Amino acid sequence: MKKEDTRRFEAQSQIIKALAHPTRLFIAEELGKGERCVCELTGMIGADTSTVSKHLFIMKNAGIIECEKRGTNMYYTLKMKCVLSFFSCVNQVLQKKAAEQLQFV
Amino acid sequence: MKKEDTRRFEAQSQIIKALAHPTRLFIAEELGKGERCVCELTGMIGADTSTVSKHLFIMKNAGIIECEKRGTNMYYTLKMKCVLSFFSCVNQVLQKKAAEQLQFV
DNA sequence: CATGATTTTGGTTATATTACCAAATAGCCA
DNA sequence: TGGCTATTTGGTAATATAACCAAAATCATG
């Protein structure tokens, strides 16, 4: 593999990693519905605020979401809506796995 | 977040994690072109055979690829072609990031 | 300015991931 | 069978992730 390809795959994997966590998938799906502040997300997720804040940082850093401060609140929005298209494929994989499991019953 | 949602997001993230590594992205892209045996992939990747084998296991376990043994070789194929659609979105994110970087020069 | 609310940052610990080496396994063929 | 090739599995060490708590930073408001 060429060095330039390695860099490309590293950059790509950084973005995919930014989605590869249950909490971050939830955030992506939730922000797909509209903007949310950290406290709203924290309430829904049920983790420490600092934990949620760090998840948001990872996603923002990857370029998936963006934020805007209004008052004391930080509002996050989904910048790259296309990541929502991941879900349909992922669910296809899950369905296929489930169907295959059934064959062995 | 409900318990059942948590399980769903965990299952989804397991699949996305199976793609969230440079080597595994390479494998996905390569298998998108056709079946490959472990030794072919190992040659292209330039890592230990056991390392590549473990990457393949993770992807197979996630339901993304499947394999078939012929002789002493194990041939892997991309089972869920839809994962290739991830790339287009990921590249959009990368392009947008690159474009934004340029603004600050 | 002091207070309270929201968010981020720093620090620590626990867990997960990854790479490599060595050894085991499986299949082919002389 | 014995040896050769391809692949997987087990073990270990290094690194990366992730959770929580505490503390700092930011902003509105009395």
Side-chain angles (χ1 to χ4, degrees):
Chain A
M1 207 174 355
K2 290 180 219 149
K3 204 168 208 169
E4 104 198 35
D5 286 331
T6 305
R7 266 200 302 277
R8 194 180 106 239
F9 286 115
E10 274 167 8
Q12 290 178 336
S13 76
Q14 196 222 353
I15 292 164
I16 296 186
K17 271 183 195 169
L19 286 168
H21 188 284
T23 299
R24 297 199 289 267
L25 285 176
F26 170 82
I27 291 172
E29 200 173 273
E30 191 60 28
L31 296 188
K33 300 176 195 162
E35 70 170 16
R36 299 283 186 272
C37 69
V38 179
C39 55
E40 286 174 311
L41 293 170
T42 300
M44 293 185 262
I45 292 165
D48 195 272
T49 310
S50 68
T51 301
V52 175
S53 178
K54 278 169 186 171
H55 282 303
L56 289 164
F57 174 79
I58 290 167
M59 296 175 79
K60 184 182 159 216
N61 200 42
I64 296 171
I65 63 177
E66 56 194 350
C67 60
E68 182 193 330
K69 190 159 200 168
R70 291 206 301 278
T72 59
N73 292 332
M74 188 68 89
Y75 288 92
Y76 282 89
T77 52
L78 187 60
K79 187 179 181 183
M80 302 303 297
K81 303 259 185 197
C82 64
V83 301
L84 295 176
S85 66
F86 283 32
F87 289 109
S88 109
C89 173
V90 167
N91 288 332
Q92 279 177 50
V93 177
L94 286 174
Q95 279 169 28
K96 194 153 193 168
K97 280 174 82 171
E100 286 168 359
Q101 290 293 332
L102 284 180
Q103 292 193 332
F104 299 116
V105 176
Chain B
M1 210 176 352
K2 289 179 221 151
K3 206 170 208 172
E4 102 198 38
D5 287 332
T6 305
R7 267 201 301 277
R8 193 181 106 237
F9 286 116
E10 274 166 8
Q12 290 178 335
S13 76
Q14 196 222 352
I15 292 165
I16 296 185
K17 271 183 196 170
L19 286 169
H21 189 285
T23 299
R24 297 199 288 268
L25 286 176
F26 170 81
I27 291 171
E29 198 172 274
E30 191 60 28
L31 295 188
K33 300 176 192 162
E35 69 169 16
R36 300 281 186 273
C37 69
V38 179
C39 54
E40 286 174 311
L41 293 170
T42 300
M44 294 184 263
I45 292 164
D48 195 272
T49 311
S50 68
T51 302
V52 175
S53 177
K54 278 170 186 171
H55 282 304
L56 289 164
F57 174 79
I58 290 166
M59 296 174 79
K60 184 181 158 216
N61 199 42
I64 297 172
I65 63 178
E66 56 194 349
C67 60
E68 182 193 330
K69 191 160 200 170
R70 291 203 302 277
T72 58
N73 291 331
M74 188 68 89
Y75 288 92
Y76 281 89
T77 52
L78 187 61
K79 187 180 182 182
M80 300 304 296
K81 303 261 186 195
C82 63
V83 299
L84 295 175
S85 67
F86 283 32
F87 290 110
S88 111
C89 174
V90 168
N91 288 332
Q92 280 178 50
V93 177
L94 285 174
Q95 278 168 30
K96 194 152 192 170
K97 279 175 83 171
E100 286 168 0
Q101 289 293 333
L102 284 179
Q103 294 193 331
F104 297 116
V105 177

